[in-house]
Amino acid sequence: MSDWLRDWPAPAKINLFLHVVGRRADGYHLLQTVFRFLDFGDTIRCEPRSDGRIVTATPLPGVPPETDLTVRAATALREATGATAGVTLHVDKRLPMGGGLGGGSSDAATTLIALNRLWQTGLDPAELQRIGLALGADVPIFVHGHTAFAEGVGERFTDIELTPAWYLILVPDVAVPTPEIFRSAQLRRDTPAIAAADWRPGFGHNDLETVACKLYPEVKRHLDWLRRYGDARMSGSGACCFVEFDQESAARAALAALPADMRGFVAAGRDRHPLSMI
Ligand code: C5P
């Protein structure tokens, strides 16, 4: 099949922990986190167009096309390479916006990887990561493509391997704006940094959780429900929350017990991004 016809996967990520260890002079926060991919996400199709325009066929509610992260990624790739081709981007959206699962960032990363190949612009992964970082702090991990302990604003990686696991992810019916969480006066920004080599599964917590739960009680309600199954945590700046299971059947049984006013899904953890092999 031609690459122009294929669906390019844009998986979700979860943050197994997320510590805020400081703040840069420009206001961005210094983080330590572990990103893990899920076998669940959006897909993107790229359709060539001859008029040289970059167009989204699937605009998101409330997002002007020029601020859409896939459109911005395609535009940034053209600016970095001098490419002039046009494209229509089709996103099959399954990941929630403002969900902390990296949906918009993953779409941007997949657009960069796909168009770099389709347009034969030949950028290496480090260059794609640099372009991605300018689009959002969570974009580089998706270009990097391997489960990693991340530092800086989330762009310096130490790869890790994790044992297979299943997750029940709950999707509260709220969109949490990331900047609102990071600018809160109540955010702790002084969690002591650890060495990447010292991280173990289960270690840490999510420093953004307290603030998100206060501003969005729905997040707290979902976390409280999940805690009956173990060490439930919020992903990123929310709103989604997850708990880990060794067995798929246990994760599915928990999903089946979900109250009627909550939504969620079960997904497997993945150490590799599906496009990391190409
Ligand atoms: O990079 P991204 O678009 O995901 O970040 C959204 C906002 O979240 C930033 O503009 C910034 O206010 C805040 N942020 C931060 N520190 C980070 C990541 C994001 O302060 N490491």
Side-chain angles (χ1 to χ4, degrees):
M1 197 207 321
S2 157
D3 277 348
W4 282 104
L5 297 177
R6 66 172 281 188
D7 284 330
W8 298 81
K13 59 82 178 165
I14 50 175
N15 300 85
L16 297 187
F17 85 109
L18 195 164
H19 290 176
V20 181
V21 299
R23 199 175 198 179
R24 290 197 319 206
D26 65 2
Y28 259 76
H29 291 79
L30 295 168
L31 310 177
Q32 290 194 318
T33 186
V34 165
F35 289 108
R36 187 171 211 188
F37 304 116
L38 301 179
D39 70 343
F40 181 88
D42 299 341
T43 53
I44 298 181
R45 195 162 48 79
C46 304
E47 187 189 349
R49 47 188 303 145
S50 52
D51 62 2
R53 292 171 59 219
I54 295 170
V55 173
T56 175
T58 47
L60 298 166
V63 180
E66 64 279 9
T67 66
D68 182 289
L69 273 170
T70 58
V71 171
R72 289 180 55 210
T75 306
L77 182 65
R78 282 217 310 209
E79 280 165 5
T81 60
T84 54
V87 66
T88 303
L89 298 160
H90 303 256
V91 181
D92 182 8
K93 199 96 197 104
R94 298 169 80 194
L95 299 176
M97 290 168 62
L101 302 180
S105 303
S106 188
D107 293 347
T110 291
T111 302
L112 288 174
I113 295 167
L115 290 179
N116 188 45
R117 180 152 162 173
L118 295 166
W119 288 344
Q120 301 180 356
T121 37
L123 295 191
D124 65 29
E127 291 170 305
L128 290 180
Q129 279 185 42
R130 220 170 14 251
I131 297 172
L133 183 57
L135 299 170
D138 279 351
V139 180
I141 185 63
F142 292 103
V143 176
H144 178 72
H146 199 287
T147 291
F149 183 97
E151 299 175 85
V153 296
E155 85 296 9
R156 286 203 334 261
F157 305 120
T158 305
D159 284 354
I160 54 179
E161 307 283 339
L162 297 171
T163 50
W166 291 83
Y167 299 90
L168 171 59
I169 292 108
L170 297 193
V171 186
D173 194 16
V174 288
V176 177
T178 302
E180 183 186 11
I181 303 299
F182 274 111
R183 70 171 170 258
S184 165
Q186 272 146 50
L187 179 63
R188 294 283 311 261
R189 300 176 167 90
D190 58 357
T191 300
I194 63 162
D198 290 341
W199 184 81
R200 295 287 176 275
F203 172 84
H205 56 269
N206 184 338
D207 274 323
L208 309 182
E209 219 172 87
T210 316
V211 176
C213 284
K214 229 170 242 157
L215 293 172
Y216 297 91
E218 272 299 274
V219 175
K220 180 173 182 330
R221 188 170 75 91
H222 285 71
L223 262 178
D224 286 345
W225 186 86
L226 264 187
R227 286 204 170 101
R228 70 193 64 198
Y229 296 105
D231 181 10
R233 296 184 185 184
M234 191 178 80
S235 183
S237 53
C240 292
C241 307
F242 63 91
V243 70
E244 187 173 307
F245 295 88
D246 294 338
Q247 303 291 332
E248 178 180 6
S249 54
R252 297 217 175 270
L255 177 64
L258 202 60
D261 63 350
M262 292 186 182
R263 266 189 323 132
F265 63 92
V266 168
R270 289 277 182 260
D271 282 348
R272 304 293 298 259
H273 189 293
L275 295 177
S276 66
M277 313 299 209
I278 70 169

